[in-house]
Amino acid sequence: MSTGGDQFCPIETDGKLASANFAEFYQRWEKARGDADLPHLSKIQPAAIPPKFLPYITIIGVENRGTRFVIRLAGSAISDISHVEMTGWEADEANPLPTPTDGSQASVERLKWSITHRRPYCMAGPARWSGNDMLTQRTLVLPFVGDDNRVERFLTLNDLEFSGNLCESCEAAACKTA
């Protein structure tokens, strides 16, 4: 699978994750899953999500039998850090994101992989959707099923940060003279 230069890491059954926040979030998903292979989307209860995670989550709806994805909710920290409001964005094979950006097709492919394999995954790489070359992301992607046992939602936890020296890469004259 093409990953657009990003790291793509399917989560194995033991679910060992290096990030303490990702590990805690994943364990909550495991608990919601119980004995099922995937948890039901009714288990997505924002009021039960610890407040420290809420600004960093995204809820992605799965439509058209897994060929179209809609960001139903993007946490406030995501828009605060990236200066991009993602809520309402739609993606499919013909329109990976509202603006053409490298790697957006890989995002659609990864979501489809999760639907097909019925497994969560992590990914890391540039936050191409932001239009900011210095912003990187790490994302934990957790699938949830509906009543028909098809994946209908993804709940993600995102970690966004700036990489490198912002002033060294900035072409603005004000940045060079400051």
Side-chain angles (χ1 to χ4, degrees):
M1 166 189 329
S2 169
T3 60
D6 297 331
Q7 293 177 338
F8 171 76
C9 305
I11 297 176
E12 302 300 329
T13 54
D14 60 8
K16 293 181 183 174
L17 300 168
S19 161
N21 282 341
F22 281 16
E24 181 183 341
F25 205 68
Y26 178 79
Q27 290 305 317
R28 297 178 74 75
W29 179 83
E30 281 280 344
K31 185 177 179 183
R33 183 172 73 89
D35 292 332
D37 68 331
L38 296 175
H40 190 269
L41 64 89
S42 65
K43 300 289 184 176
I44 300 175
Q45 307 254 336
I49 297 173
K52 70 179 182 178
F53 294 134
L54 288 174
Y56 302 94
I57 65 169
T58 304
I59 298 174
I60 302 170
V62 178
E63 297 180 356
N64 202 27
R65 295 194 177 271
T67 63
R68 184 170 177 263
F69 306 95
V70 178
I71 298 175
R72 298 286 179 209
L73 174 76
S76 60
I78 297 168
S79 60
D80 290 348
I81 293 167
S82 68
H83 302 290
V84 174
E85 176 53 59
M86 295 176 62
T87 300
W89 276 17
E90 300 175 8
D92 58 31
E93 290 179 353
N95 180 30
L97 288 175
T99 58
T101 57
D102 291 336
S104 54
Q105 186 59 42
S107 297
V108 170
E109 289 177 25
R110 285 189 295 267
L111 292 171
K112 287 179 158 187
W113 178 91
S114 184
I115 290 169
T116 300
H117 291 52
R118 300 176 68 82
R119 288 182 50 200
Y121 66 89
C122 288
M123 62 79 51
R128 292 176 188 88
W129 50 267
S130 73
N132 185 328
D133 293 339
M134 301 299 292
L135 189 62
T136 61
Q137 67 182 25
R138 290 185 314 152
T139 304
L140 172 63
V141 180
L142 306 171
F144 289 76
V145 296
D147 292 337
D148 60 1
N149 207 30
R150 291 185 200 180
V151 175
E152 288 190 23
R153 296 278 188 288
F154 290 99
L155 179 61
T156 75
L157 181 61
N158 302 279
D159 180 11
L160 301 171
E161 65 182 37
F162 286 98
S163 61
N165 182 326
L166 294 176
C167 285
E168 283 181 7
S169 64
C170 183
E171 296 299 322
C175 197
K176 293 183 186 223
T177 60

